[in-house]
Each structure stands twice: as C-alpha cells, then as structure tokens.
Amino acid sequence: MPIPRLVKDIATGDTVFGPQDLTALGNLLYFTAEDGISGRELWKSDGTAAGTVRVRDIKNGNSSSFRDERDEDENQLTVVGSTLFFVAKDDRHGRELWKSDGTEAGTVLVKDIRSGDEDSDPANLMLFGNTLYFRADDGSSGMELWKSDGTETGTQRVKNINPGSVGSFPYGLTGVGNTLYFVAFDSDSGEELWKTNGTEAGTVRVKDIHTDFMGAYPEYLTVMGNTLYFTADDMIRGRELWKSDGTEVGTDIVKDINFGYMGSDPEELTVIGNTLYFTADGTLGGRELWKSDGTEIGTVLVKDINPGIDSSLPSYLTAVGSRIFFTARDRLGGEELWTSDGTTAGTVRVKDIRPGNNGSNPYLGAVLGNTLFFAANDGTTGDELWATDGTEAGTFRVADLKPGSSGSNPSNFQVVGDTLFFTANTGEKGEELWAIDALSLQAVTPAPPPPPVVSLALSPSSVTEDGTTNLLYTFTRTGSASAPLTVNYTVGGSASLGVDTTGIAATPSTKSIAFAAGSASATVSVDPTADRNQEANETVALGLLAGTEYTLGTTSAVTGTILNDDLIGTSARNTITGTAIAEFIDGLQANDTLTGGVGPDVFGFRYSHSSLTTPDRITDFRFGSDKIDLFTASGGNLPAPAGFTRASNNSTARTLSDLAAAVFRDANGAIAGNQALGANRAALVVASKSSIRGTYLFINDGNAARNSSTDLLINLTGHSGALPGLGGIPVGTVFA
C-alpha cells in the first residue's frame, strides 16, 4: 500500500494557500510557498524536511515576490536545461523575468524589460530548442513575443506583430520540429495562428482562417507527430478541429463534426501515439469522447457514454501508457473515473467510487510508474488521495489524511524522479507539501491490456462480373497495434474460388490474414472472373474464426454478391430485357429485340447473326453511354471498326436493300461525292420513308463488297443522347 508522508510543515498553523507552481528540475522540486515570515518566495525540496529550503527571499520582508494566486499562468516556473526561469518582482523592479540555478547567489533578474517598478508581466513561458520564449510588455510596443538565452543582452523582442501600445498578446506557444507556433492578434486579421523560427523575418501569420478583423481564436495547440492540431472558428462551421503543417494550404479543418455555425467546440486535446483524443459536442450525442488520426474519416466518436442528446462531459483527459483516463457521467451515476483504449467496447467506467447521482467527482493528478493518482470523494471521507491501475480491484483510497467528511483536498500533483509530490490540507497543519515514493507502490500492478478486437467489413456489397470494381473485405483491429497479428477466417458462398473469382486461393479451407506490426487494418480483394455466361448471381461469404490472441467484433459472415451481367440469347428469335446494372447482351442468331435497361450496357453482335435482311433491334441505345462489341460468327473477339461515319439522311429508300446500297455507295454525308463504305468500317444513317423509318447502323466485314448475309445491320428503334452529326465519328464513342 503506498504511504504518503508530510515533507515539511513550511508555514506553521492552518495556512489556506500552501505550496504552488510545483515544477521538476533534475532530482529537485521547485515551488513557491509562504513560511509566514518572508511572504511567497521560491523554494526547493529533495523530498526531505532538511532538504526543503527557501532558495532566496527576492522581495525583502514579509512581502511576496510571487503572486499568491492559483493561476498557472502567473508565476510560470519553467525549466530550460539546468536553469529555472520564472516571473517575480523585487523591491526595485516590477514583475519581470528571473532565473535560478538553485542557489541564492544564482537566483537573479534576467532583464528589466520595462524599466522601473512597472511590470512587463512575462507570461506563457515556453522552452523551444535551447531558448526561452514568452510574451512581455516593454511599455512602448505592448504585449509582444520575446525570447531569451538567459542573458540580459540575449533577451529581446522577436517581432512587433501589432505595432502600437496595445500589442499582439501571443499565447499558446507550441513547438513542432523547428517551428514555434502561437496565437497572436493584429488589427488586420484578429487572433490567428502564427509561427516563428526565432527571427523577425521568420515570424509570420500561418493563415487568416477567419478572414476579417475578428479572427478565428485558435485554442488547444497540440502536437501529434509532425503536425500541429488546434481548434478554431472560421465563423462558417463554428469551432472545430483543425491541423497545420505550417503552410497556408496545409492548414485546414480536420472534420466538421457538428454541422452548422455552432461547431462541436473540441477541448482537452490529448495525444497517445498516433491518436488524438478530445471532447466534442456532436450533432446528436452531446459532449462525448472523440478520437482522430488526423483524417476526416478517422475522426470518430469513441463512445456515446451518456446515450442520446445528454452529455457525459468527459474531463481531465490523462494519458497512462496506451490508455486514456478521464472523468465522465452516464445514466447510471454521477461523475466517476473512466478509461478507454480507443474502442467502444474498451471504454468503461473504472469504478463507481460513490454510487448514486452525486458521483465522486475525481480530479486527475499525475502518473507515477503505472499508477494514476487522483483526488476523489467517496461520500464518507471527503476529497482524499486515490490511486488506480485501471482496474476496479486496483482502484483504492490511498489514505484518509484528514479524517472526517471534509477531506484533505489533494492537488498540485508533480512527479520528480521516483517521487510524487502534492499538496493537501489536513486542517491541523493547513495546506502543505506531501510526497509518496515509488518504493511504496509495489502493491499496485498495472492491468494487462485487453486483446485487440477484430472486425470485418465489406465495400462495396456487390459488384458486376465484368466490371472494374472488386469486392474489398477490410479486417480491422482496435487497441494496441504494435505487434503483428494473424487472424483466421473461412470462405463460403456459391462462387467457386479460383474459377469464378481470383484473390483467395481455393485451398486450404481455413484461411488467414496477417496484420503487420503497427498496422490496424488488412484487406482481401476478390476479383470476379469475367465471362460471357448467363448464370445466377454468385456470393462470397467471409467469416471470422475465434483466436486466442484476439476477440471477435464481427460474429456473422460478411457476404458480397457478384451480379451476373451477361444476357445471352439462343439460335431462335429472342426478346431480351436488361436489369438495373450494366450488362453484356447478345441475342445470337435470328433477328432479336434487345433492351439494355439502366446501363451503361454493351451489346454484342456476331457477323452473320444480324444481317442486312434480318437485322436485330436495340430499343434503348444511349449514345455516349452504351457500346457495341463485335465478334466472329463463332464468338471470337474482333477489334472495333477501322473507321466510323454518318451518312446523309436518306428520304428515298423504301427497303433495307435500297438503304444498304445507298450507304455502301456513300457513307460520309459531310463530303461531296460518293465515299464508299470500305472493309472493316461502319456507318450510321437515318431513313425517313415510312416503310423503313428509323436509325440504322451498318458494319462492313473484312470484304469491301456488300454481302447481305455476313455484313451487319442493327436497327436502333429507340435511342437517346446526342446523335452524332454528319461525317466522321470517333469510333470509341459507340464501339467497345
């Protein structure tokens, strides 16, 4: 059982404001504290009472050099290498930038940025490279971006972004690679995203997201990989999740989660590996836990913890290993501790510490080893120190430091080496510095991660036999993807593997697919075998098999359908009507009537099967969509005609024989004189005499002479789309 201990009773009596600004530097803890004699000053501790001492009384007497407020932006203890930077005031200067090496002599003013006793009020101290960046007001240019190497001469303004006495008020300083991002205001664009490389010329606005003087007010600047993520309001889609690679074109919204001008207002952006967790207010689900891999499709709701429009209000998102911990409320109780591995099934309440609607209202603190420490109220002892390994059994109250129902209110958690420091108020001694050592945590063991959940999905659900699209089966796993994983599955359905399809071998009967290390998905593509057989639709059904290293998220077989797209006639006269898919239609011998239906369809014709004397008919040919495919009399493939023209409209021919003679004599209506229909060429003609009125397609075989039994004639009794004009026609617009 971990045992907390009082480090030192710094201020005797019942102090209200104890140690604050707890900051780790090497093996020491630095903080600000009041001892009742010298006001709030800089202190340090090695975890022992003797080693807990004031570093320097910067402002002499009982006045404080630090503000006695619980605002993390006030005193800004910030570590740069082996130096501690902070904001303080002494007897001669206002609030300015200071530094300390841990000794009294080495605790000095860096620079009096605003001369005299007025404050330059440095804030947003941020280490970037080996340089400290911050904002400050020198009294003439307003609050602007500054940098410091720890020397007076090396402390200088980076750029006067908003000229004048107002300043640009930079905040949110966040480094990505060699670029420091921040938010700043100028009078032209308002508050927008900026970046700097530390030079004046290299300090520029990244993008004017909201293109007027109001600004997009970026917030929650967070790094994942080499990309900056943040929230912004472009005043069109409301406040949503954005990302940037530092360029204007590479700065864009990740996903419009809550359609409309209200926005989803993402908050508490927290990174675990390649996943960004955050809270957001969805269109229907209220404020819940979301995650993103940086893509629109990969930005999804993790779980609707409080179903419906009610919100679970996740808060205090904290990364512990590969899991996220947070507080939330569901319909069964009040606010409690929850955890998630990023899956719906793996998002669970850790423990109902205070059953009922009130909840224990946890305040998440810090992680020491594999243990998360936090404050919670079980309804009996008040707010006290708790610990968890992520399991219900491993979640317990560490100690009742203040017996009774009021609690000691632990807060200000900070880990230094193998020690967790925090503040607590026992009543008798007031709020003081406490600690827990890692040696006392042996009873707390981490919960093993749950096995990955494997699911199977299909897109599209059906494909045509002769089409270019395949059945794509996608296997996904949730949870940790760091190790390779082999998943077994079976294949059923009416299609014969290796005959009707390729992509899955016919043997063995039990198949397997491998996830590579680091990959969350794997795919199997089933390619239908194209043929010219009229047959029933065929199915391919994949079913996951249970394994010892994973659990099943999909328990039923996932079935894809291969739609037959071949309609073949017989040697007799046929009337063939297509369906709502693209199909191949061939009437074979005799004069047939062919209707494609919803296309685009391909109509097959064999030389000698649709002759000049007994032509086949197509009732719904669509120019620009449907195609004609040519074959030998025995079914062998033939290329498209070598040329294609439209003959002049014919108003004299009374028979198909007369019309054929006219077209074979002059097949090109755009050129004066006769242009014969040559071998392997086709011509389109419109006849107007009532006996043969209609649109006809003539196709000459390999012999230039007209042959009424072998040359092809197709009667387009109905057609749509733009009819080609007189003269040359691109062959590919009609022929396959």
Side-chain angles (χ1 to χ4, degrees):
M1 175 71 69
I3 303 173
R5 55 186 172 80
L6 176 66
V7 177
K8 185 173 185 175
D9 187 4
I10 296 174
T12 58
D14 187 5
T15 56
V16 176
F17 293 117
Q20 298 172 21
D21 310 300
L22 276 62
T23 305
L25 174 55
N27 294 320
L28 295 177
L29 175 75
Y30 287 81
F31 56 97
T32 67
E34 295 185 19
D35 59 4
I37 300 172
S38 57
R40 182 166 294 278
E41 295 294 345
L42 182 65
W43 286 66
K44 66 180 180 180
S45 175
D46 63 1
T48 68
T52 302
V53 296
R54 186 181 63 213
V55 177
R56 175 179 171 178
D57 187 3
I58 295 174
K59 191 171 178 64
N60 294 324
N62 60 3
S63 298
S64 297
S65 61
F66 293 92
R67 287 179 177 169
D68 193 11
E69 299 181 14
R70 296 176 183 273
D71 188 338
E72 62 181 11
D73 289 331
E74 290 293 340
N75 303 318
Q76 288 282 290
L77 274 62
T78 304
V79 175
V80 179
S82 59
T83 302
L84 181 73
F85 287 85
F86 55 92
V87 180
K89 67 188 303 180
D90 61 11
D91 297 310
R92 294 188 300 133
H93 307 93
R95 283 174 52 79
E96 296 291 351
L97 183 66
W98 285 67
K99 68 177 181 179
S100 177
D101 61 2
T103 68
E104 181 176 9
T107 302
V108 296
L109 175 71
V110 176
K111 183 172 184 174
D112 188 10
I113 295 174
R114 187 168 186 173
S115 299
D117 60 0
E118 293 191 72
D119 303 333
S120 71
D121 264 334
N124 288 112
L125 276 61
M126 168 67 186
L127 169 65
F128 180 58
N130 295 317
T131 303
L132 179 75
Y133 286 80
F134 58 98
R135 74 184 190 196
D137 185 351
D138 62 5
S140 60
S141 57
M143 193 68 74
E144 290 291 353
L145 183 65
W146 285 66
K147 66 179 180 180
S148 177
D149 62 1
T151 67
E152 182 176 8
T153 57
T155 302
Q156 53 191 284
R157 188 181 64 208
V158 177
K159 182 172 183 175
N160 191 3
I161 294 172
N162 190 35
S165 61
V166 176
S168 64
F169 283 88
Y171 67 88
L173 280 62
T174 305
V176 181
N178 296 319
T179 302
L180 179 68
Y181 294 90
F182 59 96
V183 181
F185 169 88
D186 67 13
S187 56
D188 293 329
S189 303
E191 287 193 26
E192 293 289 355
L193 182 66
W194 286 67
K195 67 177 181 179
T196 185
N197 61 3
T199 68
E200 182 175 6
T203 303
V204 296
R205 185 174 59 235
V206 177
K207 183 171 184 174
D208 190 1
I209 296 172
H210 180 206
T211 54
D212 67 10
F213 66 91
M214 293 291 292
Y217 295 96
E219 293 181 328
Y220 296 103
L221 276 63
T222 305
V223 181
M224 185 168 71
N226 295 318
T227 303
L228 178 75
Y229 291 82
F230 58 97
T231 72
D233 186 352
D234 62 4
M235 300 302 174
I236 298 173
R237 293 164 291 199
R239 182 165 295 278
E240 293 291 355
L241 182 65
W242 286 65
K243 66 179 179 180
S244 177
D245 62 2
T247 66
E248 182 174 7
V249 69
T251 302
D252 203 356
I253 191 170
V254 176
K255 182 172 185 173
D256 189 2
I257 294 173
N258 194 347
F259 296 112
Y261 67 92
M262 293 295 291
S264 65
D265 193 19
E267 295 180 343
E268 298 202 43
L269 278 60
T270 305
V271 175
I272 297 180
N274 296 319
T275 302
L276 177 69
Y277 291 90
F278 58 97
T279 70
D281 194 346
T283 304
L284 299 176
R287 181 161 291 277
E288 296 290 350
L289 181 66
W290 285 68
K291 68 175 181 179
S292 177
D293 61 3
T295 67
E296 180 177 11
I297 194 172
T299 303
V300 295
L301 174 70
V302 176
K303 183 174 183 175
D304 191 2
I305 295 173
N306 202 353
I309 61 174
D310 293 331
S311 300
S312 68
L313 301 175
S315 300
Y316 302 115
L317 272 62
T318 303
V320 182
S322 61
R323 301 183 68 85
I324 191 85
F325 285 77
F326 57 98
T327 66
R329 61 179 64 243
D330 61 10
R331 290 181 177 175
L332 300 178
E335 187 175 11
E336 294 291 352
L337 180 65
W338 285 67
T339 185
S340 176
D341 62 0
T343 69
T344 300
T347 302
V348 295
R349 184 176 60 205
V350 177
K351 184 171 185 174
D352 193 1
I353 295 173
R354 186 178 183 179
N357 294 328
N358 289 326
S360 65
N361 299 313
Y363 167 72
L364 274 57
V367 179
L368 180 59
N370 295 310
T371 303
L372 171 66
F373 287 86
F374 60 99
N377 185 346
D378 62 6
T380 302
T381 59
D383 281 304
E384 289 291 353
L385 185 64
W386 286 67
T388 184
D389 63 1
T391 67
E392 182 174 10
T395 302
F396 56 92
R397 188 180 66 236
V398 176
D400 188 4
L401 297 180
K402 185 180 181 181
S405 60
S406 59
S408 64
N409 296 308
S411 60
N412 298 311
F413 297 89
Q414 177 66 58
V415 172
V416 181
D418 293 330
T419 301
L420 171 70
F421 291 90
F422 63 97
T423 62
N425 189 337
T426 61
E428 178 185 352
K429 297 182 180 298
E431 187 176 44
E432 291 292 353
L433 186 66
W434 290 72
I436 292 179
D437 297 317
L439 293 177
S440 64
L441 301 179
Q442 297 176 359
V444 183
T445 57
V453 179
V454 177
S455 300
L456 178 61
L458 169 66
S459 179
S461 59
S462 62
V463 296
T464 55
E465 193 175 55
D466 296 345
T468 58
T469 303
N470 296 339
L471 294 172
L472 186 64
Y473 295 84
T474 300
F475 298 74
T476 59
R477 60 170 169 172
T478 58
S480 174
S482 59
L485 176 68
T486 299
V487 173
N488 296 324
Y489 67 95
T490 60
V491 183
S494 60
S496 297
L497 301 180
V499 177
D500 297 319
T501 66
T502 58
I504 301 179
T507 57
S509 57
T510 298
K511 320 293 183 184
S512 64
I513 188 167
F515 289 83
S519 176
S521 65
T523 59
V524 170
S525 180
V526 175
D527 185 5
T529 303
D531 59 32
R532 289 290 185 259
N533 301 322
Q534 184 169 333
E535 56 196 347
N537 293 341
E538 298 162 335
T539 58
V540 180
L542 271 60
L544 292 174
L545 293 175
T548 58
E549 297 182 348
Y550 57 89
T551 58
L552 299 184
T554 304
T555 56
S556 301
V558 176
T559 302
T561 302
I562 301 172
L563 302 173
N564 172 62
D565 54 8
D566 301 314
L567 300 177
I568 311 298
T570 65
S571 58
R573 180 180 298 178
N574 300 289
T575 298
I576 301 176
T577 302
T579 63
I581 65 171
E583 292 159 314
F584 175 81
I585 303 174
D586 188 347
L588 295 183
Q589 292 179 325
N591 54 326
D592 305 303
T593 300
L594 311 178
T595 302
V598 179
D601 301 304
V602 176
F603 296 91
F605 292 95
R606 307 185 184 196
Y607 280 105
S608 78
H609 283 189
S610 180
S611 65
L612 301 184
T613 55
T614 56
D616 286 352
R617 296 185 296 168
I618 301 177
T619 67
D620 65 341
F621 191 84
R622 289 178 299 283
F623 287 99
S625 174
D626 291 346
K627 295 294 178 69
I628 303 293
D629 201 2
L630 301 179
F631 303 90
T632 65
S634 60
N637 290 319
L638 286 175
F644 186 25
T645 56
R646 180 178 166 188
S648 298
N649 294 345
N650 190 296
S651 60
T652 59
R654 298 178 181 275
T655 66
L656 292 179
S657 179
D658 293 341
L659 184 62
V663 172
F664 271 75
R665 181 172 61 252
D666 185 10
N668 192 327
I671 300 176
N674 292 331
Q675 309 295 322
L677 182 64
N680 295 321
R681 293 182 178 272
L684 189 68
V685 66
V686 176
S688 57
K689 279 295 185 182
S690 59
S691 57
I692 58 171
R693 181 180 291 117
T695 302
Y696 295 86
L697 179 60
F698 288 89
I699 306 168
N700 195 358
D701 64 7
N703 188 337
R706 176 163 58 100
N707 188 316
S708 61
S709 61
T710 59
D711 294 330
L712 284 173
L713 174 59
I714 304 165
N715 184 1
L716 306 181
T717 62
H719 57 79
S720 60
L723 190 68
L726 299 180
I729 304 172
V731 173
T733 60
V734 170
F735 291 93

